[in-house]
């Protein structure tokens, strides 16, 4: 099951991570959120037309909201409700723009981005006459690329490199559909990820009769062996499919 928060159009892809920006043949390192000049240089490398942005997980937090059996009536009331639940669940103080999509009955995927960051991106697009047609967290973009071939329950790590070979990032898992989503800003080594994050998540999924049968990894060039068959996703496979 694919979970596009906005229907992906036929558009150029701007790939924006905390440590780099990729746009066609344009690839530059970053040390944090990009400046308008850095984004303008990247966008200049893409053909004119709508632009699809894939954005760093750490800047676009996501959460699965469960047991939502009754929602407020009306679109505006629902938007306000999901924004409130999202901010409350993640203990966020900075205002976020939030989108929500029902995954299963009573379970909603909510993803957000700081309102100031989103507004800056939209204004830059207007100044450059480039329509920001789609904005998606990195983990969700990867999941949607994999989704058509996900016949077995599995797990995906969407990692952001830190210092000393450590990674922050997102863990998502699926059975029949998306069933687990956890995010950590604290970086750990791959070995610590296996012990402190992957193993407990796999144990939880086993109790839910959704034992993962495969592990996909984005953001690391190598990964320790484990009981799960592991596939490392590289730039060629992801950017090739995305275009």
């Amino acid at each position: 099951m694919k979970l596009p928060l906005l229907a992906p159009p036929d558009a150029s892809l701007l790939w924006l991570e905390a440590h780099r920006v990729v746009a066609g043949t344009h690839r530059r390192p970053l040390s944090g959120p990009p400046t308008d000049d850095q984004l303008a240089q990247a966008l200049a490398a893409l053909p004119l037309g709508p632009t699809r942005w894939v954005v760093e997980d750490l800047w676009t937090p996501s959460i699965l909201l469960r047991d939502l059996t009754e929602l407020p009536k009306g679109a505006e009331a629902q938007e306000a409700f999901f924004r409130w639940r999202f901010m409350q669940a993640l203990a966020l103080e900075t205002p976020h723009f939030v989108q929500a999509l029902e995954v299963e009955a009573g379970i909603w995927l909510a993803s957000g981005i700081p309102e100031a960051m989103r507004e800056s991106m939209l204004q830059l697009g207007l100044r450059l006459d480039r329509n920001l047609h789609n904005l998606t967290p990195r983990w969700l973009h990867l999941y949607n690329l994999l989704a058509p071939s996900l016949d077995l329950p599995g797990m995906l790590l969407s990692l952001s490199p830190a210092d000393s070979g450590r990674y922050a990032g997102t863990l998502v898992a699926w059975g029949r559909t998306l069933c687990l989503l956890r995010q950590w800003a604290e970086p750990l080594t791959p070995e610590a990820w296996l012990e402190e994050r992957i193993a407990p998540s796999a144990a939880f999924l086993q109790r839910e009769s959704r034992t993962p049968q495969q592990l996909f990894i984005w953001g690391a060039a190598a990964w320790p062996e484990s009981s799960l068959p592991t596939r490392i996703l590289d730039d060629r496979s992801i950017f090739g499919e995305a275009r």
Side-chain angles (χ1 to χ4, degrees):
M1 177 183 179
K2 297 187 72 174
L3 299 172
L5 290 181
L6 294 171
D10 293 328
S12 299
L13 182 69
L14 179 70
W15 187 273
L16 188 59
E17 296 181 280
H19 67 291
R20 65 170 181 170
V21 57
V22 179
T25 58
H26 177 93
R27 301 190 178 206
R28 295 291 184 273
L30 296 175
S31 56
T35 65
D36 281 1
D37 285 345
Q38 289 171 322
L39 288 176
Q41 291 173 13
L43 288 168
L46 298 176
L48 295 176
T51 306
R52 189 152 45 106
W53 293 44
V54 173
V55 183
E56 170 67 49
D57 293 352
L58 298 175
W59 304 336
T60 52
S62 303
I63 190 171
L64 286 175
L65 300 173
R66 302 179 183 276
D67 301 322
L68 299 183
T69 54
E70 294 186 14
L71 297 175
K73 303 298 183 182
E76 290 187 7
Q78 287 190 12
E79 288 177 7
F81 171 77
F82 281 118
R83 185 166 55 249
W84 172 74
R85 282 294 304 267
F86 179 86
M87 298 286 293
Q88 182 187 57
L90 296 179
L92 298 173
E93 297 182 358
T94 303
H96 278 59
F97 173 82
V98 178
Q99 289 181 290
L101 175 74
E102 191 171 25
V103 178
E104 295 184 64
I107 301 177
W108 290 72
L109 166 65
S111 291
I113 184 171
E115 289 182 358
M117 178 179 287
R118 177 176 179 270
E119 183 62 22
S120 176
M121 293 174 175
L122 291 173
Q123 290 301 320
L124 178 65
L126 287 174
R127 289 199 300 273
L128 299 178
D129 195 24
R130 287 180 175 272
N131 181 17
L132 197 169
H133 202 299
N134 175 268
L135 192 153
T136 307
R138 182 186 61 214
W139 76 264
L140 182 55
H141 181 83
L142 296 169
Y143 177 88
N144 283 339
L145 286 179
L146 294 168
S149 61
L150 299 184
D151 297 325
L152 297 173
M155 190 180 291
L156 164 70
L157 302 186
S158 172
L159 301 176
S160 302
D163 58 348
S164 305
R166 299 181 302 157
Y167 302 91
T170 303
L171 181 154
V172 297
W174 57 89
R176 182 174 57 84
T177 186
L178 185 70
C179 60
L180 182 66
L181 191 160
R182 293 173 175 169
Q183 295 186 305
W184 294 272
E186 177 192 1
L188 292 179
T189 64
E191 291 77 12
W193 266 87
L194 284 170
E195 180 180 352
E196 300 179 24
R197 295 172 178 174
I198 296 175
S201 298
F204 166 79
L205 292 165
Q206 186 173 12
R207 291 194 298 271
E208 297 287 312
S209 300
R210 295 172 173 177
T211 305
Q213 303 296 312
Q214 51 196 340
L215 173 64
F216 296 88
I217 306 238
W218 170 264
W223 199 255
E225 290 188 8
S226 70
S227 59
L228 283 174
T230 301
R231 176 188 167 192
I232 294 178
L233 305 172
D234 59 17
D235 283 9
R236 175 177 293 184
S237 63
I238 296 303
F239 297 143
E241 291 181 54
R243 289 188 179 85

